[in-house]
């Protein structure tokens, strides 16, 4: 179905990300689950394939803190589904013992995702446009 919308969900194999993927699938989207935890992502994807069909879901291992992984994510999703309409930047971590890694994933990962989405989805770049949703957990630190 060429007009079926396609969404990429980072951190999509568990928690809020998994719930988002299921809702998108229920609403007729094709979904790419992007997660650094490859085995969890594959397991979740296989569970959803039995419900929503193999043609509607895929998984791609992605470390959102690496631009090369984000580029590969978009390239592979486009190869499989021929389009990307939505990016949901949901991946996030809390590692108080490693604040640098938190910044790389939670801040830089989101920025890299937005930049990559613009490159592949932006109308000014030859794409069809789309939507980017940046998420934050209630577990995220709040300003004092």
């Amino acid at each position: 179905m060429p007009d079926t919308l396609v969404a990429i969900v980072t951190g999509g194999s568990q928690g809020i990300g998994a719930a988002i993927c299921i809702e998108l699938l229920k609403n007729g989207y094709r979904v790419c689950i992007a997660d650094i935890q490859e085995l969890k992502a594959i397991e979740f994807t296989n569970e959803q394939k039995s419900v929503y069909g193999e043609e509607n879901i895929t998984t791609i291992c992605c470390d959102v803190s690496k631009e090369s992984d984000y580029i590969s994510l978009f390239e592979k999703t486009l190869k499989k589904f021929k389009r990307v309409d939505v990016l949901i930047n949901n991946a996030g971590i809390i590692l108080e013992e490693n604040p640098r890694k938190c910044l790389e994933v939670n801040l830089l990962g989101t920025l890299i995702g937005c930049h990559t989405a613009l490159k592949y989805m932006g109308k000014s770049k030859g794409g069809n446009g789309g939507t980017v949703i940046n998420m934050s957990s209630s577990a995220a630190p709040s300003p004092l």
Side-chain angles (χ1 to χ4, degrees):
M1 297 179 357
D3 292 339
T4 302
L5 296 175
V6 175
I8 295 173
V9 181
T10 66
S13 68
Q14 58 187 344
I16 294 169
I20 291 168
C21 290
I22 290 169
E23 288 303 313
L24 288 167
L25 288 161
K26 283 180 183 177
N27 284 283
Y29 280 75
R30 289 185 170 170
V31 175
C32 175
I33 297 169
D35 208 300
I36 196 168
Q37 297 183 48
E38 189 171 20
L39 294 179
K40 283 187 181 185
I42 290 169
E43 181 181 323
F44 177 71
T45 299
N46 288 337
E47 291 169 5
Q48 301 317 308
K49 282 180 179 179
S50 66
V51 178
Y52 299 103
E54 189 168 329
E55 70 281 3
N56 293 315
I57 190 167
T58 192
T59 188
I60 297 171
C61 187
C62 178
D63 178 344
V64 298
S65 68
K66 296 180 180 176
E67 184 178 12
S68 60
D69 276 19
Y70 247 119
I71 290 169
S72 178
L73 172 62
F74 269 84
E75 293 283 339
K76 289 176 181 177
T77 303
L78 286 166
K79 184 175 182 179
K80 175 153 179 88
F81 294 132
K82 311 296 184 237
R83 65 188 292 164
V84 176
D85 302 285
V86 179
L87 168 64
I88 300 177
N89 279 319
N90 172 68
I93 60 170
I94 299 175
L95 292 173
E96 293 171 4
E97 71 280 358
N98 190 345
R100 182 175 306 278
K101 187 64 178 175
C102 286
L103 284 172
E104 288 172 357
V105 172
N106 299 342
L107 178 60
L108 290 177
T110 302
L111 293 171
I112 293 167
C114 291
H115 183 264
T116 307
L118 179 61
K119 178 179 175 181
Y120 286 93
M121 295 166 42
K123 289 182 179 182
S124 65
K125 306 284 186 178
N128 295 321
T131 302
V132 175
I133 299 170
N134 297 317
M135 307 276 298
S136 176
S137 168
S138 61
S142 59
L144 297 177

